[in-house]
Amino acid sequence: MMVLLLDTFVRYLRFEKRMSDHTIIAYKTDLSQFIHYMKATYDIEMANEVKSIHIRSWLVDLKELKQKERSLQRKISSLKSWFKFLLNRTEVTENPTVQITGPKAPKRLPAFLEQQQSEALFATPDYAAGFEGLTEELIMELLYQTGIRRAELIGLLEQDVDPYRKQIVVLGKRNKERAIPIGAGLLVLIKNYIAEKKAKVSTEHNFLLTLESGKPLYDQYVYRVVKKYLQEVTTLSKKSPHVLRHTFATHLTNNGANISAIKELLGHSSLAATQIYTHNNIEHLKKIYQQAHPKAVKDE
């Protein structure tokens, strides 16, 4: 039955592919919806009975329910990965997703802070008093100065900070490590934070950042901290930690950094994921041209 095969696939994603919990939940949700549809609509419970026509029928129904293009693309990707897995394990004799293609979604440029907004963000921030404020400051500075992901920030250990090489070592997706250089100012902030933590907080872990209670940081805490300070300098609808990651990469691009170097700093597996920042750079140059060139056609 497909339900049992899905459980096997989830274990494969977790223990062999080492995907994040967030990604695994997305796969499981998409495939559970598909399995339910196959049973309810066609009374199909076995994976080897699924044909491409059944998949197209499901996608049409989703489209009629106003599912967005990106959501449909993700569901198709989930199905393709699953049936490729089943084919490799000889659970099916053919892959019904081979002829399935998804709708093209419009490219969305990443949300980021303009240079003057980031300068305002760190000019005179009103951080909370005491150790909580130190934690908030280090969260903001690390996210902007290194471009690390929220999960990577939470997972940083004290021993990941190398003061001699002036770098931090980050454990990224698929357990891939990468070294990111840090400036002298950030290094001093980290050293002071560790000293204050040892003096005032009792912990049973070795994570770099911690709550005042001594417990490790968690996703929503980091999100709330970032949102609190971003809303003081921007009207962007998104105010998540990823905005600071996008800002890090965009500012590097705008200031002439090599796209391959940015790829390594961000921990992207392919250059294609990083090239979105070249689009941001083009838009940035267009804006400068419109504002500065005497022959530019000004927008009404």
Side-chain angles (χ1 to χ4, degrees):
M1 293 178 66
M2 283 191 282
V3 173
L4 298 178
L5 294 177
L6 177 56
D7 290 340
T8 304
F9 182 56
V10 167
R11 288 195 294 273
Y12 163 77
L13 295 179
R14 175 167 286 116
F15 299 114
E16 294 189 40
K17 299 296 286 183
R18 296 185 180 277
M19 290 186 171
S20 68
D21 289 342
H22 178 79
T23 303
I24 292 171
I25 290 170
Y27 271 101
K28 189 172 182 179
T29 300
D30 292 339
L31 295 173
S32 294
Q33 290 173 354
F34 175 73
I35 290 170
H36 175 77
Y37 179 86
M38 288 295 105
K39 172 63 178 173
T41 308
Y42 296 107
D43 198 28
I44 290 176
E45 295 185 72
M46 308 302 292
N48 57 11
E49 295 178 14
V50 176
K51 307 298 180 187
S52 59
I53 190 171
H54 300 134
I55 296 174
R56 289 194 177 95
S57 170
W58 180 55
L59 295 174
V60 168
D61 273 19
L62 290 174
K63 201 163 187 180
E64 289 177 353
L65 292 171
K66 307 298 182 184
Q67 285 275 336
K68 293 182 179 179
E69 285 86 354
R70 289 185 182 277
S71 178
L72 290 174
Q73 283 182 327
R74 194 196 70 219
K75 292 178 188 299
I76 291 170
S77 177
S78 297
L79 274 179
K80 284 181 176 290
S81 296
W82 190 40
F83 274 101
K84 182 180 178 181
F85 167 80
L86 295 178
L87 189 65
N88 289 338
R89 299 292 178 99
T90 66
E91 297 289 351
V92 297
T93 56
E94 60 181 29
N95 187 341
T97 68
V98 171
Q99 302 299 323
I100 302 296
T101 57
K104 288 188 177 180
K107 286 186 177 179
R108 291 186 300 180
L109 294 179
F112 64 94
L113 300 179
E114 297 288 351
Q115 190 77 42
Q116 64 271 23
Q117 290 176 318
S118 65
E119 290 170 1
L121 179 64
F122 295 104
T124 53
D126 187 21
Y127 292 121
F131 184 76
E132 182 183 355
L134 292 177
T135 303
E136 291 181 352
E137 182 179 7
L138 190 50
I139 286 172
M140 298 297 292
E141 292 286 355
L142 275 167
L143 290 172
Y144 174 62
Q145 292 196 43
T146 67
I148 57 177
R149 302 175 179 94
R150 173 168 38 179
E152 293 169 346
L153 173 87
I154 292 172
L156 274 179
L157 303 174
E158 286 188 19
Q159 60 261 37
D160 293 332
V161 181
D162 187 338
Y164 302 103
R165 292 187 175 91
K166 293 185 173 60
Q167 66 182 29
I168 57 172
V169 177
V170 176
L171 187 63
K173 290 185 175 180
R174 312 283 173 85
N175 284 342
K176 288 177 64 177
E177 283 190 349
R178 68 185 189 279
I180 304 175
I182 57 175
L186 180 55
L187 185 57
V188 169
L189 184 62
I190 292 172
K191 287 180 177 178
N192 291 341
Y193 181 83
I194 292 174
E196 191 73 9
K197 179 174 65 171
K198 289 179 178 177
K200 295 188 175 180
V201 180
S202 175
T203 63
E204 296 182 356
H205 59 76
N206 199 31
F207 292 114
L208 172 62
L209 288 147
T210 185
L211 300 176
E212 202 162 7
S213 64
K215 294 181 179 179
L217 299 189
Y218 54 92
D219 283 352
Q220 278 303 309
Y221 179 85
V222 176
Y223 176 81
R224 286 198 302 269
V225 168
V226 173
K227 182 180 179 181
K228 178 169 69 170
Y229 293 106
L230 287 188
Q231 66 189 8
E232 295 179 2
V233 299
T234 181
T235 57
L236 287 171
S237 57
K238 288 189 70 175
K239 298 181 179 68
S240 69
H242 231 64
V243 170
L244 291 176
R245 178 171 165 85
H246 293 321
T247 301
F248 166 83
T250 301
H251 289 180
L252 285 176
T253 307
N254 289 348
N255 286 287
N258 181 279
I259 193 71
S260 296
I262 296 173
K263 167 186 171 291
E264 296 303 318
L265 289 170
L266 292 175
H268 285 162
S269 57
S270 72
L271 198 60
T274 316
Q275 285 173 335
I276 189 67
Y277 298 107
T278 63
H279 295 291
N280 270 347
N281 193 39
I282 290 168
E283 294 302 314
H284 175 73
L285 293 174
K286 283 180 181 177
K287 190 173 181 180
I288 291 174
Y289 171 77
Q290 289 288 339
Q291 292 173 346
H293 198 283
K295 290 290 188 180
V297 177
K298 300 296 189 287
D299 294 333
E300 296 295 332

